[in-house]
Amino acid sequence: MHLVRDNLAQAVDAAVKPLELAVVLPTFNERKNLGPMIERLDEALQGIAWEAIVVDDNSPDGTSDEARAIALNDPRVRVIERIGRRGLSSAAIEGMCATAAPVVAVMDADHQHDPRLLPEMLKAVTSGEFDLAYASRFCDGASTEEWGRPDRVKASGLANRLARKVTGVTLSDPMSGFFMLRAATLRADAHRLSGVGFKILLDILATVETPLRVKEFPMSFAARAEGESKLDRTVVFEFLVGLYDKWLGRIIPTRFALFGTIGAMGVVVHMAVLSAILAVFGGPPLKGQLVTAFEVAQTIAALTAMTFNFFLNNALTYADKRLTGFVPLLRGWAKFGLTCLIGLTANVGVAAILVRYGIHEYPAALVGIVIASVWNFALSSKFVWGKYGT
Ligand code: GDD
Ligand code: MN
């Protein structure tokens, strides 16, 4: 009851004082971190009219239920639950666009960012002197010691260097996930942000028309309180794809480059298998032989290349959809195989006919591969690479 009355008082306060700040907390499996996080915000933001917007991607651990339970007694807490979606950047964008507050902040919900920096950041932005305030892990006075992850410090340093080279952004930590800006600034360019992966701050900085005046706050980046990091292979891959897109995307479109690279690797695998089998079993067909060694070899090579592409795709597809374990992998492989079956049949069929008409085996194999690729591209561009745009 006491808690309810306290919160009532806060609600009245908030109603009297116009909203000043929205803190967006993107969450995925942060149930245990959320309550303590709101308490820390409450403590840090005394005297400021704020709200917290939890953007949860339907976490299996019930983070959104926890957020709603908190919100029931605390009108400053709001929840957006996204179904069938994943991604820190897109969650942050949607959270920032879902508030009436004139200033928005984004921070991690796992206690790695210290909310006590928020009031100073707010002052910097509302003073009109700066457009964006952010907390850096790598400037003078900052520290990553508490984090206890020298491997991640190194990786982040490399990512930051790459990002600075490609985008021309000069901050010491453009990969930081802790920043604040005027909501209107964000909204003006929100439709042009990529929303892919973790690089939301970098995205904002590299996208806005007029360069932002940035105030840097050194932070001590803490260790995560509960649970695990969601930064995985996919996020790293998406980051590299994003950089490529900014760098060469206009000359050689990203989707084409991706498909071409993976396709070329498949062709290498295919040709290696084909030549290995032909080296052992090749030679002119015997009389009365129904299937030639080439036809069998082309089929096996195509199946091997398909399997190779399946694992490559599986490793690079969204983390929450990645198949692991023998049975799910086998099932996924079979499904993938069925999808590719038409391409595979056309591939082997056309190559076989060409060889029977006297075309050399390797060019015939290549024609088969190209035909299968058109089919696979039509499918994969929709299901696998669709998220990287055109
Ligand atoms: N809604 C949603 N959807 N939230 C997500 C998702 C997602 O797919 N993935 C991660 N988050 C949330 C987490 O729940 C957490 O609150 C915050 O985003 C940061 O995610 P972590 O998984 O804790 O990231 P990290 O600590 O490994 O990465 C840190 O360094 C990155 C740069 O190196 C963070 O500070 C990142 O913000 C930063 O970009
Ligand atoms: Mn974290």
Side-chain angles (χ1 to χ4, degrees), residues 30 108-113 147 152 198 221-224 228-230:
E30 307 286 4
D108 296 356
D110 60 357
H111 298 266
Q112 292 197 270
H113 295 146
W147 191 7
R152 283 285 307 268
F198 271 43
F221 194 65
R224 162 179 268 283
E228 284 165 15
S229 164
K230 283 92 207 173

Side-chain angles (χ1 to χ4, degrees), residues 70-333:
I70 299 169
L72 209 54
N73 287 308
D74 190 337
R76 301 168 303 180
V77 177
R78 298 173 47 206
V79 189
I80 297 175
E81 183 177 4
R82 306 196 302 172
I83 311 290
R85 306 268 307 278
R86 272 301 301 275
L88 167 52
S89 275
S90 62
I93 295 168
E94 281 175 40
M96 289 188 281
C97 289
T99 180
V103 179
V104 289
V106 174
M107 66 188 290
D108 296 356
D110 60 357
H111 298 266
Q112 292 197 270
H113 295 146
D114 189 345
R116 283 176 301 184
L117 281 177
L118 287 167
E120 286 305 310
M121 290 165 85
L122 184 61
K123 270 188 207 149
V125 172
T126 50
S127 72
E129 207 180 323
F130 299 98
D131 304 305
L132 184 138
Y134 91 107
S136 168
R137 297 166 292 180
F138 301 114
C139 63
D140 274 353
S143 131
T144 50
E145 226 156 86
E146 240 189 282
W147 191 7
R149 289 289 302 270
D151 55 327
R152 283 285 307 268
V153 172
K154 242 195 204 147
S156 285
L158 185 67
N160 276 330
R161 273 199 299 285
L162 264 174
R164 279 195 293 264
K165 269 228 165 70
V166 172
T167 63
V169 164
T170 53
L171 313 196
S172 66
D173 191 6
M175 301 306 294
S176 170
F178 190 8
F179 60 90
M180 187 188 289
L181 75 170
R182 268 184 295 283
T185 313
L186 187 275
R187 278 198 299 267
D189 284 297
H191 61 286
R192 298 199 298 134
L193 299 173
S194 95
V196 173
F198 271 43
K199 52 177 191 330
I200 172 71
L201 175 60
L202 178 69
D203 227 354
I204 294 173
L205 292 163
T207 301
V208 288
E209 292 282 355
T210 22
L212 301 178
R213 295 161 301 161
V214 178
K215 166 106 175 159
E216 192 163 71
F217 289 83
M219 72 164 151
S220 162
F221 194 65
R224 162 179 268 283
E226 300 278 347
E228 284 165 15
S229 164
K230 283 92 207 173
L231 196 152
D232 60 7
R233 266 202 311 264
T234 310
V235 175
V236 174
F237 174 70
E238 287 170 342
F239 169 68
L240 295 174
V241 170
L243 282 188
Y244 171 89
D245 193 46
K246 275 253 173 329
W247 179 46
L248 275 185
R250 253 177 238 174
I251 304 166
I252 306 168
T254 306
R255 191 194 287 204
F256 181 77
L258 268 174
F259 187 77
T261 310
I262 291 188
M265 285 157 79
V267 172
V268 170
V269 170
H270 183 111
M271 290 303 186
V273 174
L274 183 68
S275 63
I277 298 176
L278 286 182
V280 182
F281 298 105
L286 304 172
K287 245 207 175 132
Q289 189 179 346
L290 274 181
V291 212
T292 63
F294 172 75
E295 285 157 13
V296 175
Q298 176 79 345
T299 308
I300 296 175
L303 279 171
T304 313
M306 188 201 86
T307 305
F308 170 79
N309 276 356
F310 166 73
F311 280 103
L312 213 58
N313 283 333
N314 188 49
L316 303 176
T317 319
Y318 257 13
D320 57 334
K321 292 189 191 132
R322 182 177 303 143
L323 306 169
T324 50
F326 184 72
V327 176
L329 270 173
L330 194 68
R331 208 180 297 138
W333 177 82

